[in-house]
Amino acid sequence: MSKPTVLIIDDEPDILELLDLTLGRMNVCTESASTLNQALSLLRKNHYALCLTDMRLPDGDGMSVVRHIQQHSPCTPVAMITAYGSLDTAINALKAGAFDFLTKPVDLNRLRELVSAALKLTQSASEPEGQEQDPLLGVSPPMERLRKQIGKLARSQAPLYISGESGSGKELVARRIHALGPRTEQPFVPVNCGAIPSELMESEFFGHRKGSFTGAVADKPGLFQAANRGTLFLDEVADLPMAMQVKLLRAIQEKAVRPLGTQQEEAVDVRLLCATHKDLAIEVAEGRFRQDLFYRINVIELKVPPLRERREDLPLLTRHILGKLAQRNGLPTPQITDSCMEMLCNYRFPGNVRELENTLERAFTLCENQRIETSDLQLSGCPSPGGDDSQDLSQIDHLEDFLDNIERQAITQALEETRWNKTAAAKRLGLTFRSLRYRLKKLGLDD
């Protein structure tokens, strides 16, 4: 098996020599270029397992290298070498498609970790795909777009913000990104930030030493240490208290954590994926989330579509969920009537796939003779197919009052689903914030 070759682009002879020696000890061949034109010429003629490029070059910049590789050889990882403190430059490179970045002076341990991860990525791209089934079900255009984005983002080490409504499958997306990336053999550690008591949060995240507080009877590693060399998935990150946001920002910036009870920091290498059903930009604007932390975790945003935007996937999802329920209970998969499927396809599913799973589990339990009817679904506010639930006009005394009542119910439901966040409720209903505020006042709901 031939040795992989890495292209190093830098105009400083000392840096070229240092990287060449370090990679040589890793059994990796290197080629070097000291100008942008020389680098582009080599990239047009040869294929490389990895490209390391300095940001500043005599005749251009490293971003031109990133863009060239993204256009002509997107499977080649490229890492940017930037001056210490040039974080904005590094973030721009990640957004443009860079695999990762290094800062000068180059930390050799960090360099070796980066090269190893990149070579794993290149190797996995050249091997035939495994037999593992894609857990993300759906053939709708939004799901096909999501799959393409996941495939691209899995190749990067950039922090990723996964946005989407509750129950839409954000953790499933995070697990898929981890599985397709170079860290797949390392731990994937999911954390629900809203489920950790605030007084235990620092210990849970960063670990503690024996005797650091009452009840600390032994050393305990934190979640960052547990995810070292792997992926840390922070779900509901908007629920972190402000004091913890400060400590998380420092851990991300320094790539190190300090356990409770010690003054020594421990280096950690994690890929950070964050998610929340809240709108983080709104949380920042309203002072509940730090802007500097938002910029750090939101280098790239990935939006998971709600179920109502991919209704054509409902039959496939329904069959899959019912099949799993049948297998778990040792029973045959029940039939679902056409009218029942039509009802599911017409329902908005504010709770998304999680609500669909709960609905089908209830119907699975209630149905008779292995056949699910519309009555088994118990979907509130969903008219029966064929107009069976059409209104009896004799029951309507005044049309305006009747319509106001429907509007009041819809707005109240949206507010309850968004924990009375008016901005999020307006978005859920397809209204502007000003329009929602007017309707709340009109309906007497603005108290």
Side-chain angles (χ1 to χ4, degrees):
M1 185 175 175
S2 60
K3 294 181 183 180
T5 302
V6 174
L7 176 63
I8 306 168
I9 310 166
D10 202 300
D11 62 336
E12 294 183 45
D14 290 348
I15 294 285
L16 289 175
E17 185 178 358
L18 176 66
L19 298 185
D20 179 60
L21 284 171
T22 305
L23 270 61
R25 289 176 184 143
M26 297 177 68
N27 207 28
V28 172
C29 297
T30 64
E31 290 185 10
S32 61
S34 56
T35 67
L36 175 62
N37 283 333
Q38 190 181 355
L40 294 179
S41 176
L42 287 170
L43 285 166
R44 290 186 191 102
K45 291 187 290 185
N46 306 314
H47 174 75
Y48 297 98
L50 168 67
C51 176
L52 296 169
T53 180
D54 191 16
M55 180 60 197
R56 293 185 177 180
L57 298 168
D59 56 344
D61 60 37
M63 291 296 288
S64 300
V65 177
V66 175
R67 286 190 286 267
H68 177 90
I69 288 176
Q70 281 296 298
Q71 185 174 356
H72 300 285
S73 183
C75 290
T76 301
V78 53
M80 182 75 73
I81 304 172
T82 66
Y84 182 77
S86 303
L87 194 64
D88 290 344
T89 300
I91 288 174
N92 287 335
L94 291 171
K95 286 182 175 179
F99 166 74
D100 207 342
F101 68 92
L102 290 166
T103 55
K104 291 182 180 180
V106 175
D107 181 313
L108 295 185
N109 286 331
R110 175 89 181 94
L111 170 65
R112 283 188 281 265
E113 288 172 356
L114 185 152
V115 171
S116 296
L119 294 182
K120 282 182 187 173
L121 198 62
T122 308
Q123 185 180 6
S124 64
S126 63
E127 292 173 352
E129 291 189 17
Q131 298 301 310
E132 183 186 355
Q133 186 179 4
D134 184 354
L136 297 170
L137 297 177
V139 294
S140 61
M143 285 304 290
E144 291 299 333
R145 282 195 298 273
L146 181 64
R147 276 196 194 86
K148 287 181 182 176
Q149 289 173 308
I150 287 172
K152 184 177 181 181
L153 295 175
R155 301 180 56 79
S156 169
Q157 297 300 291
L160 185 62
Y161 167 46
I162 304 171
S163 63
E165 297 175 6
S166 291
S168 57
K170 296 186 290 295
E171 182 172 339
L172 203 61
V173 167
R175 288 184 181 276
R176 188 63 176 160
I177 289 169
H178 173 75
L180 294 177
R183 298 173 182 259
T184 183
E185 295 175 1
Q186 303 300 327
F188 175 88
V189 179
V191 184
N192 187 331
C193 297
I196 303 175
S198 57
E199 63 273 15
L200 297 177
M201 201 163 269
E202 189 171 355
S203 168
E204 286 293 312
F205 272 82
F206 308 134
H208 63 250
R209 292 287 180 264
K210 179 180 178 180
S212 56
F213 56 88
T214 304
V217 295
D219 289 356
K220 180 192 171 188
L223 294 162
F224 268 85
Q225 291 96 325
N228 194 30
R229 301 185 185 279
T231 302
L232 182 62
F233 173 55
L234 302 183
D235 198 6
E236 300 305 346
V237 70
D239 291 343
L240 286 173
M242 197 63 75
M244 191 61 205
Q245 292 179 29
V246 176
K247 293 181 171 68
L248 177 61
L249 177 63
R250 176 172 173 78
I252 297 170
Q253 284 177 331
E254 302 299 326
K255 295 184 184 290
V257 298
R258 188 168 64 195
L260 285 174
T262 179
Q263 297 302 311
Q264 299 296 318
E265 287 196 329
E266 297 178 8
V268 287
D269 169 31
V270 300
R271 181 171 190 196
L272 192 66
L273 307 180
C274 296
T276 178
H277 73 281
K278 296 179 181 178
D279 189 321
L280 270 189
I282 292 172
E283 296 297 303
V284 170
E286 296 183 357
R288 291 188 293 270
F289 200 83
R290 290 182 64 96
Q291 188 173 48
D292 47 7
L293 179 58
F294 172 64
Y295 285 137
R296 187 57 57 85
I297 67 174
N298 189 31
V299 171
I300 301 172
E301 181 178 357
L302 178 63
K303 294 183 179 179
V304 181
L307 187 54
R308 64 180 172 276
E309 290 181 7
R310 54 185 192 103
R311 293 176 191 269
E312 54 264 64
D313 293 333
L314 267 160
L316 176 63
L317 286 166
T318 298
R319 287 193 295 271
H320 175 74
I321 293 167
L322 288 176
K324 282 203 306 183
L325 288 168
Q327 187 177 24
R328 187 192 310 161
N329 291 278
L331 295 170
T333 303
Q335 286 186 311
I336 186 162
T337 63
D338 290 344
S339 58
C340 196
M341 186 62 77
E342 186 179 348
M343 177 179 279
L344 287 172
C345 290
N346 287 330
Y347 184 61
R348 279 181 61 82
F349 282 105
N352 294 292
V353 179
R354 189 181 299 137
E355 184 181 359
L356 174 64
E357 289 173 338
N358 293 338
T359 298
L360 292 173
E361 186 164 10
R362 182 172 60 239
F364 182 90
T365 305
L366 295 174
C367 73
E368 300 286 345
N369 302 318
Q370 301 299 316
R371 183 180 172 87
I372 296 178
E373 303 284 355
T374 53
S375 58
D376 298 321
L377 294 177
Q378 297 186 358
L379 290 175
S380 59
C382 190
S384 296
D388 296 337
D389 289 349
S390 57
Q391 289 293 332
D392 180 358
L393 293 180
S394 65
Q395 303 298 314
I396 302 175
D397 295 324
H398 192 280
L399 181 60
E400 286 295 331
D401 291 342
F402 175 72
L403 294 175
D404 282 351
N405 189 45
I406 293 176
E407 189 174 6
R408 185 179 289 106
Q409 288 177 354
I411 290 174
T412 302
Q413 182 180 337
L415 287 167
E416 288 173 350
E417 288 172 8
T418 57
R419 301 180 188 177
W420 294 86
N421 182 320
K422 292 178 183 177
T423 306
K427 190 175 178 182
R428 178 72 59 89
L429 293 165
L431 301 172
T432 63
F433 181 76
R434 182 177 293 179
S435 177
L436 176 63
R437 196 165 54 184
Y438 165 77
R439 289 163 192 262
L440 288 170
K441 189 173 182 180
K442 184 187 77 166
L443 298 168
L445 296 171
D446 57 343
D447 293 335

